PDB file of all heavy atoms in Angstrom:
ATOM      1  N   LYS A 195      -4.729  13.461 -10.661  1.00 98.00           N
ATOM      2  CA  LYS A 195      -4.873  14.337  -9.490  1.00 98.00           C
ATOM      3  C   LYS A 195      -6.256  14.979  -9.471  1.00 98.00           C
ATOM      4  O   LYS A 195      -6.894  15.097  -8.412  1.00 98.00           O
ATOM      5  CB  LYS A 195      -3.787  15.422  -9.516  1.00 98.00           C
ATOM      6  CG  LYS A 195      -3.770  16.373  -8.309  1.00 98.00           C
ATOM      7  CD  LYS A 195      -3.504  15.612  -7.024  1.00 98.00           C
ATOM      8  CE  LYS A 195      -3.055  16.484  -5.879  1.00 98.00           C
ATOM      9  NZ  LYS A 195      -1.695  16.985  -5.976  1.00 98.00           N
ATOM     10  N   ASP A 196      -6.734  15.368 -10.667  1.00 98.00           N
ATOM     11  CA  ASP A 196      -8.056  16.000 -10.747  1.00 98.00           C
ATOM     12  C   ASP A 196      -9.157  15.007 -10.390  1.00 98.00           C
ATOM     13  O   ASP A 196     -10.138  15.367  -9.742  1.00 98.00           O
ATOM     14  CB  ASP A 196      -8.259  16.561 -12.163  1.00 98.00           C
ATOM     15  CG  ASP A 196      -7.156  17.541 -12.537  1.00 98.00           C
ATOM     16  OD1 ASP A 196      -7.076  18.600 -11.897  1.00 98.00           O
ATOM     17  OD2 ASP A 196      -6.349  17.219 -13.418  1.00 98.00           O
ATOM     18  N   VAL A 197      -8.966  13.742 -10.799  1.00 98.00           N
ATOM     19  CA  VAL A 197      -9.929  12.685 -10.452  1.00 98.00           C
ATOM     20  C   VAL A 197     -10.053  12.604  -8.928  1.00 98.00           C
ATOM     21  O   VAL A 197     -11.156  12.593  -8.368  1.00 98.00           O
ATOM     22  CB  VAL A 197      -9.476  11.299 -10.995  1.00 98.00           C
ATOM     23  CG1 VAL A 197     -10.358  10.181 -10.448  1.00 98.00           C
ATOM     24  CG2 VAL A 197      -9.473  11.298 -12.517  1.00 98.00           C
ATOM     25  N   MET A 198      -8.900  12.585  -8.269  1.00 98.00           N
ATOM     26  CA  MET A 198      -8.932  12.349  -6.829  1.00 98.00           C
ATOM     27  C   MET A 198      -9.416  13.573  -6.053  1.00 98.00           C
ATOM     28  O   MET A 198     -10.191  13.439  -5.102  1.00 98.00           O
ATOM     29  CB  MET A 198      -7.532  11.924  -6.365  1.00 98.00           C
ATOM     30  CG  MET A 198      -7.558  11.118  -5.111  1.00 98.00           C
ATOM     31  SD  MET A 198      -8.752   9.752  -5.193  1.00 98.00           S
ATOM     32  CE  MET A 198      -8.678   9.171  -3.507  1.00 98.00           C
ATOM     33  N   LEU A 199      -8.982  14.772  -6.458  1.00 98.00           N
ATOM     34  CA  LEU A 199      -9.468  15.968  -5.749  1.00 98.00           C
ATOM     35  C   LEU A 199     -10.983  16.093  -5.927  1.00 98.00           C
ATOM     36  O   LEU A 199     -11.707  16.449  -4.989  1.00 98.00           O
ATOM     37  CB  LEU A 199      -8.753  17.227  -6.264  1.00 98.00           C
ATOM     38  CG  LEU A 199      -7.256  17.318  -5.918  1.00 98.00           C
ATOM     39  CD1 LEU A 199      -6.638  18.562  -6.552  1.00 98.00           C
ATOM     40  CD2 LEU A 199      -7.022  17.322  -4.408  1.00 98.00           C
ATOM     41  N   HIS A 200     -11.459  15.751  -7.121  1.00 98.00           N
ATOM     42  CA  HIS A 200     -12.904  15.779  -7.371  1.00 98.00           C
ATOM     43  C   HIS A 200     -13.619  14.755  -6.490  1.00 98.00           C
ATOM     44  O   HIS A 200     -14.647  15.060  -5.865  1.00 98.00           O
ATOM     45  CB  HIS A 200     -13.161  15.490  -8.853  1.00 98.00           C
ATOM     46  CG  HIS A 200     -14.604  15.398  -9.212  1.00 98.00           C
ATOM     47  ND1 HIS A 200     -15.428  16.498  -9.279  1.00 98.00           N
ATOM     48  CD2 HIS A 200     -15.389  14.318  -9.496  1.00 98.00           C
ATOM     49  CE1 HIS A 200     -16.655  16.101  -9.591  1.00 98.00           C
ATOM     50  NE2 HIS A 200     -16.657  14.797  -9.726  1.00 98.00           N
ATOM     51  N   LEU A 201     -13.062  13.552  -6.411  1.00 98.00           N
ATOM     52  CA  LEU A 201     -13.695  12.487  -5.612  1.00 98.00           C
ATOM     53  C   LEU A 201     -13.733  12.858  -4.127  1.00 98.00           C
ATOM     54  O   LEU A 201     -14.758  12.676  -3.461  1.00 98.00           O
ATOM     55  CB  LEU A 201     -12.938  11.161  -5.809  1.00 98.00           C
ATOM     56  CG  LEU A 201     -13.429   9.988  -4.954  1.00 98.00           C
ATOM     57  CD1 LEU A 201     -14.872   9.618  -5.298  1.00 98.00           C
ATOM     58  CD2 LEU A 201     -12.526   8.761  -5.131  1.00 98.00           C
ATOM     59  N   ILE A 202     -12.629  13.384  -3.601  1.00 98.00           N
ATOM     60  CA  ILE A 202     -12.601  13.748  -2.176  1.00 98.00           C
ATOM     61  C   ILE A 202     -13.597  14.885  -1.925  1.00 98.00           C
ATOM     62  O   ILE A 202     -14.291  14.906  -0.910  1.00 98.00           O
ATOM     63  CB  ILE A 202     -11.176  14.132  -1.718  1.00 98.00           C
ATOM     64  CG1 ILE A 202     -10.207  12.969  -1.952  1.00 98.00           C
ATOM     65  CG2 ILE A 202     -11.166  14.493  -0.224  1.00 98.00           C
ATOM     66  CD1 ILE A 202      -8.736  13.362  -1.873  1.00 98.00           C
ATOM     67  N   GLY A 203     -13.686  15.799  -2.885  1.00 98.00           N
ATOM     68  CA  GLY A 203     -14.674  16.873  -2.767  1.00 98.00           C
ATOM     69  C   GLY A 203     -16.091  16.317  -2.706  1.00 98.00           C
ATOM     70  O   GLY A 203     -16.947  16.824  -1.977  1.00 98.00           O
ATOM     71  N   LEU A 204     -16.308  15.252  -3.472  1.00 98.00           N
ATOM     72  CA  LEU A 204     -17.634  14.640  -3.562  1.00 98.00           C
ATOM     73  C   LEU A 204     -18.012  13.904  -2.278  1.00 98.00           C
ATOM     74  O   LEU A 204     -19.122  14.047  -1.765  1.00 98.00           O
ATOM     75  CB  LEU A 204     -17.590  13.638  -4.732  1.00 98.00           C
ATOM     76  CG  LEU A 204     -18.796  13.406  -5.590  1.00 98.00           C
ATOM     77  CD1 LEU A 204     -19.264  14.719  -6.218  1.00 98.00           C
ATOM     78  CD2 LEU A 204     -18.435  12.417  -6.708  1.00 98.00           C
ATOM     79  N   ILE A 205     -17.077  13.104  -1.742  1.00 98.00           N
ATOM     80  CA  ILE A 205     -17.436  12.233  -0.601  1.00 98.00           C
ATOM     81  C   ILE A 205     -16.942  12.784   0.734  1.00 98.00           C
ATOM     82  O   ILE A 205     -17.381  12.324   1.776  1.00 98.00           O
ATOM     83  CB  ILE A 205     -16.944  10.779  -0.797  1.00 98.00           C
ATOM     84  CG1 ILE A 205     -15.418  10.668  -0.763  1.00 98.00           C
ATOM     85  CG2 ILE A 205     -17.499  10.185  -2.090  1.00 98.00           C
ATOM     86  CD1 ILE A 205     -14.912   9.219  -0.827  1.00 98.00           C
ATOM     87  N   GLY A 206     -16.034  13.760   0.706  1.00 97.00           N
ATOM     88  CA  GLY A 206     -15.566  14.379   1.953  1.00 97.00           C
ATOM     89  C   GLY A 206     -14.321  13.713   2.510  1.00 97.00           C
ATOM     90  O   GLY A 206     -13.987  12.585   2.136  1.00 97.00           O
ATOM     91  N   VAL A 207     -13.641  14.428   3.415  1.00 97.00           N
ATOM     92  CA  VAL A 207     -12.367  13.932   3.953  1.00 97.00           C
ATOM     93  C   VAL A 207     -12.536  12.741   4.891  1.00 97.00           C
ATOM     94  O   VAL A 207     -11.564  12.088   5.247  1.00 97.00           O
ATOM     95  CB  VAL A 207     -11.548  15.039   4.667  1.00 97.00           C
ATOM     96  CG1 VAL A 207     -11.044  16.073   3.665  1.00 97.00           C
ATOM     97  CG2 VAL A 207     -12.361  15.703   5.776  1.00 97.00           C
ATOM     98  N   ASP A 208     -13.778  12.455   5.304  1.00 96.00           N
ATOM     99  CA  ASP A 208     -14.003  11.197   6.029  1.00 96.00           C
ATOM    100  C   ASP A 208     -15.062  10.347   5.314  1.00 96.00           C
ATOM    101  O   ASP A 208     -15.654   9.452   5.902  1.00 96.00           O
ATOM    102  CB  ASP A 208     -14.378  11.451   7.495  1.00 96.00           C
ATOM    103  CG  ASP A 208     -15.642  12.287   7.639  1.00 96.00           C
ATOM    104  OD1 ASP A 208     -16.179  12.758   6.612  1.00 96.00           O
ATOM    105  OD2 ASP A 208     -16.099  12.461   8.784  1.00 96.00           O
ATOM    106  N   GLY A 209     -15.242  10.633   4.023  1.00 97.00           N
ATOM    107  CA  GLY A 209     -16.268   9.933   3.248  1.00 97.00           C
ATOM    108  C   GLY A 209     -16.019   8.448   3.097  1.00 97.00           C
ATOM    109  O   GLY A 209     -16.936   7.680   2.851  1.00 97.00           O
TER     110      GLY A 209
END
Side-chain angles (χ1 to χ4, degrees):
Chain A
K195 183 62 162 287
D196 303 295
V197 171
M198 205 50 187
L199 292 177
H200 176 73
L201 176 63
I202 301 165
L204 214 57
I205 68 175
V207 292
D208 59 355

